[in-house]
Amino acid sequence: MGTRHDSDEQLLTRGDAASFEPFYVRHVDALLGYFARRTRDAELAADLTAETFAAALTARRRYRPEKGAAGAWLYGIAFKKLADAQRRGYAENRARRRLGMERIELTDEDVLRIENLADDESASLLVEQLAPDQRDAVVAHVVDERSYGEIAGRQGTSEAVVRKRVSRGLHTVRQRIGGRG
């Protein structure tokens, strides 16, 4: 089990969820700040932070200390998430308006709830409990980092349907952890 005294590199290379928690706690505020400064959008900053840590959690076995510091590795993932969000942002905003989906504004309390997602088993259990179409879409987009277009092609449906499934799935997860709908 990881401790607050272990280095980031030690925490990541252990590979267990318990060792990931101190790494998450150590970096979550800085990463939220990074995204908040670059996006000027609290909801997007929280979503990107969650997506970054989800990707880091699933990819931590591929982290190699000899290739660079763990913090740099984490920010590399964050940079890719931000670039992806900026590329898809315009299209997603248009799709959200077209589908009549409201933006969910996050409070400081909501951001604190997101920190609870660091518990790998809890987050996985919440996602597993989603309807199969939502679960598959959330896992494909957030964990596997697939684009909405790629997911739509594989599922034989439209990007708008995939966006709605991801949105509804994440909304359900937020509700189950005690967040606002």
Side-chain angles (χ1 to χ4, degrees):
M1 178 175 198
T3 70
R4 61 184 180 92
H5 301 291
D6 292 334
S7 70
D8 287 344
E9 290 72 20
Q10 290 170 317
L11 295 171
L12 283 179
T13 56
R14 283 200 188 99
D16 60 291
S19 293
F20 191 80
E21 183 179 2
F23 177 78
Y24 172 88
V25 169
R26 192 175 290 168
H27 294 281
V28 69
D29 288 340
L31 198 57
L32 272 168
Y34 168 80
F35 284 130
R37 284 187 303 277
R38 276 153 185 78
T39 65
R40 300 286 184 221
D41 181 332
E43 175 190 345
L44 181 57
D47 286 346
L48 290 171
T49 300
E51 286 183 24
T52 299
F53 279 110
L57 182 63
T58 60
R60 69 188 184 275
R61 287 178 180 82
R62 293 191 306 261
Y63 168 70
R64 299 292 175 255
E66 63 274 7
K67 291 189 176 186
W73 175 79
L74 179 67
Y75 277 87
I77 294 169
F79 181 79
K80 182 180 182 309
K81 292 291 183 187
L82 179 61
D84 290 346
Q86 289 170 333
R87 275 193 298 273
R88 71 179 185 249
Y90 177 73
E92 286 181 5
N93 286 337
R94 285 184 47 219
R96 185 173 50 242
R97 283 191 303 271
R98 191 174 62 247
L99 294 170
M101 294 169 49
E102 294 180 23
R103 291 183 60 96
I104 300 170
E105 296 298 327
L106 297 178
T107 65
D108 289 340
E109 188 176 306
D110 294 326
V111 172
L112 288 174
R113 286 190 185 104
I114 291 170
E115 290 177 7
N116 292 330
L117 291 176
D119 181 0
D120 187 32
E121 294 172 25
S122 296
S124 296
L125 181 61
L126 290 172
V127 171
E128 286 174 21
Q129 294 171 353
L130 292 173
D133 61 339
Q134 292 175 7
R135 180 187 60 238
D136 294 345
V138 168
V139 169
H141 183 66
V142 175
V143 177
D144 298 337
E145 301 180 3
R146 293 188 190 136
S147 71
Y148 290 118
E150 181 183 353
I151 298 165
R154 289 183 183 208
Q155 293 181 354
T157 192
S158 70
E159 282 188 46
V161 168
V162 173
R163 290 177 207 279
K164 192 70 169 177
R165 288 174 180 170
V166 170
S167 176
R168 286 181 178 162
L170 292 174
H171 174 80
T172 300
V173 169
R174 280 187 189 122
Q175 284 183 320
R176 289 179 180 166
I177 63 170
R180 293 177 305 140

